[in-house]
């Protein structure tokens, strides 16, 4: 009976423990933008020093070689210090500023030097592999792999020994099927190893790939634990109303520790205008902001407390 229990346990346990995974990516080509979506599995995970790299030196020239074609190292910044489980990181080949969708999605440009350190030329190709590597591993080669995802008819010798590796023989062609997406059949980490993937003409970043993937995200988010840090003030439950707004709006949010709160309006070009600063106690907040002198358009309302900044989109019309 004990032997049977052990066999069942080994069979049903995920094949590998995982901290972070590649949830999908896009070969931008000439008309779109190379983008990688990373899923954080371990709660309060420290991403500082980890490396995201690709391997193709040009279209259809994949080579798991000892020469780095292009990479981005997660910088030593508080944004990457304690990332909650179930967070999706949408990392595009731009210099875009940090944008947060609640506590589940962080979008930021890989070329934003405040959050990434660039090496070489990162350029996802039709036949390529995207890999996350550990901080203490060399950027070159494949040692230190945390998770890799490859597309195209890649020679098996080039990827031999890389585990965990998600792969598909389909090509992530920028003109037809630019998205590389896991099949997500089980809704756990085993979906991210082997040939359980494909390419697609369309996919959306910042959301689950399918219902099984959504169940996996939900399971990760349910195990989150709060971290108390005297240097960090928490902001949560942000709601802006009405949307769209015109001359004024009300901002509701929760402040976990007393301190100074500042609010800025950031336009789509990254121009920042401070519109509010005041000390607040630790409780639910409701602030009325006057926006009558702000031009029509789409902005981000950046709410900062301590070392944390939360951004929510706000549309201003007249």
């Amino acid at each position: 009976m004990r032997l049977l229990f052990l066999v069942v346990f080994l069979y049903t346990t995920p094949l590998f423990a995982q901290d972070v995974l590649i949830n999908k990516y896009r070969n931008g080509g000439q008309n779109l933008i190379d983008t990688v979506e990373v899923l954080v599995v371990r709660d309060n995970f420290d991403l500082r020093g980890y490396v995201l790299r690709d391997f193709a030196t040009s279209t259809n020239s994949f080579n798991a070689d000892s020469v780095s074609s292009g990479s981005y190292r997660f910088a030593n910044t508080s944004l990457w210090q304690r990332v909650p489980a179930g967070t999706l990181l949408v990392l595009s080949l731009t210099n875009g500023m940090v944008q947060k969708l609640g506590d589940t999605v962080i979008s930021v440009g890989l070329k934003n030097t405040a959050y990434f350190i660039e090496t070489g030329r990162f350029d996802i190709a039709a036949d390529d592999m995207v890999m996350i590597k550990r901080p203490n591993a060399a950027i070159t080669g494949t040692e230190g792999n945390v998770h890799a995802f490859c597309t195209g008819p890649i020679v098996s010798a080039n990827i031999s020994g890389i585990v965990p590796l998600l792969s598909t023989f389909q090509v992530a062609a920028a003109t037809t099927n630019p998205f590389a997406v896991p099949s997500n059949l089980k809704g756990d980490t085993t979906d991210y190893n082997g040939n359980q993937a494909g390419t697609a003409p369309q996919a959306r970043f910042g959301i689950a790939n399918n219902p099984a993937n959504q169940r996996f995200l939900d399971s990760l988010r349910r195990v989150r634990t709060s971290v108390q840090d005297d240097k960090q003030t928490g902001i949560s439950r942000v709601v802006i109303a009405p949307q769209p707004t015109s001359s004024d709006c009300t901002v509701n949010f929760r402040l976990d520790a007393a301190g100074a709160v500042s609010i800025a309006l950031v336009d789509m070009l990254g121009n920042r205008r401070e519109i509010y600063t005041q000390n607040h106690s630790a409780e639910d907040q409701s602030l009325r902001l006057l926006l009558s002198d702000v031009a029509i358009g789409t902005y981000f309302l950046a709410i900062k407390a301590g070392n944390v900044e939360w951004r929510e989109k706000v549309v201003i019309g007249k």
Side-chain angles (χ1 to χ4, degrees):
M1 180 62 71
R2 290 180 179 176
L3 180 59
L4 177 61
F5 175 80
L6 178 61
V7 170
V8 172
F9 176 79
L10 291 175
Y11 182 77
T12 56
T13 301
L15 295 177
F16 54 93
Q18 201 59 36
D19 297 327
V20 62
L21 298 161
I22 298 170
N23 203 50
K24 54 182 168 279
Y25 70 78
R26 177 176 64 195
N27 172 17
Q30 296 180 348
N31 299 320
L32 299 173
I33 299 171
D34 285 1
T35 303
V36 181
E37 181 181 89
V38 172
L39 170 60
V40 176
V41 176
R42 177 180 292 185
D43 196 28
N44 296 316
F45 185 58
D46 191 345
L47 266 168
R48 294 175 299 176
Y50 280 74
V51 172
L52 178 70
R53 68 156 296 188
D54 78 319
F55 285 79
T57 54
S58 62
T59 302
N60 299 323
S61 63
F62 171 88
N63 186 10
D65 55 14
S66 60
V67 179
S68 173
S69 54
S71 68
Y72 288 93
R73 185 180 295 275
F74 287 81
N76 184 13
T77 175
S78 59
L79 180 66
W80 307 130
Q81 188 171 2
R82 292 190 180 97
V83 185
T87 301
L88 290 172
L89 310 178
V90 181
L91 311 176
S92 59
L93 202 62
T94 68
N95 59 359
M97 298 181 67
V98 174
Q99 301 174 21
K100 292 185 178 181
L101 179 59
D103 60 353
T104 59
V105 180
I106 299 174
S107 298
V108 60
L110 288 165
K111 290 184 174 294
N112 187 325
T113 56
Y115 301 102
F116 296 97
I117 301 168
E118 182 178 19
T119 301
R121 182 173 178 266
F122 188 99
D123 184 10
I124 297 175
D127 297 350
D128 205 345
M129 180 166 65
V130 178
M131 177 181 286
I132 300 173
K133 306 188 71 175
R134 300 190 186 283
N136 58 352
I139 294 176
T140 58
T142 61
E143 289 187 13
N145 169 53
V146 176
H147 186 242
F149 191 171
C150 70
T151 58
I154 294 170
V155 178
S156 59
N158 280 343
I159 57 175
S160 176
I162 300 174
V163 178
L165 169 66
L166 183 63
S167 63
T168 173
F169 281 102
Q170 297 174 5
V171 175
T175 55
T176 54
N177 280 25
F179 292 88
V181 185
S183 301
N184 293 113
L185 301 175
K186 294 183 178 180
D188 58 30
T189 57
T190 60
D191 288 335
Y192 297 87
N193 195 43
N195 59 357
Q196 306 176 91
T199 59
Q202 293 291 335
R204 290 178 60 191
F205 291 111
I207 66 172
N209 301 325
N210 60 23
N213 193 219
Q214 185 65 63
R215 290 195 299 272
F216 184 39
L217 298 183
D218 292 340
S219 71
L220 295 174
R221 292 163 183 171
R222 281 194 294 269
V223 302
R224 290 179 174 181
T225 57
S226 60
V227 174
Q228 298 299 324
D229 185 345
D230 293 337
K231 298 179 181 179
Q232 184 162 299
T233 302
I235 304 169
S236 59
R237 299 186 299 205
V238 179
V239 178
I240 302 173
Q243 284 272 34
T245 186
S246 56
S247 59
D248 65 274
C249 71
T250 300
V251 183
N252 298 295
F253 61 95
R254 174 72 184 177
L255 191 64
D256 293 338
V261 174
S262 63
I263 301 178
L265 206 60
V266 183
D267 65 20
M268 293 298 102
L269 297 176
N271 298 312
R272 187 182 184 98
R273 173 187 170 188
E274 301 292 335
I275 59 175
Y276 180 90
T277 301
Q278 191 167 317
N279 289 325
H280 284 267
S281 57
E283 59 186 356
D284 291 331
Q285 311 290 332
S286 183
L287 308 178
R288 182 170 175 264
L289 301 178
L290 298 178
L291 304 170
S292 56
D293 62 341
V294 179
I296 294 173
T298 301
Y299 299 83
F300 288 99
L301 209 61
I303 307 168
K304 186 174 182 180
N307 294 326
V308 173
E309 182 173 283
W310 186 300
R311 293 194 177 197
E312 287 286 336
K313 185 177 291 185
V314 59
V315 179
I316 298 177
K318 300 296 182 183

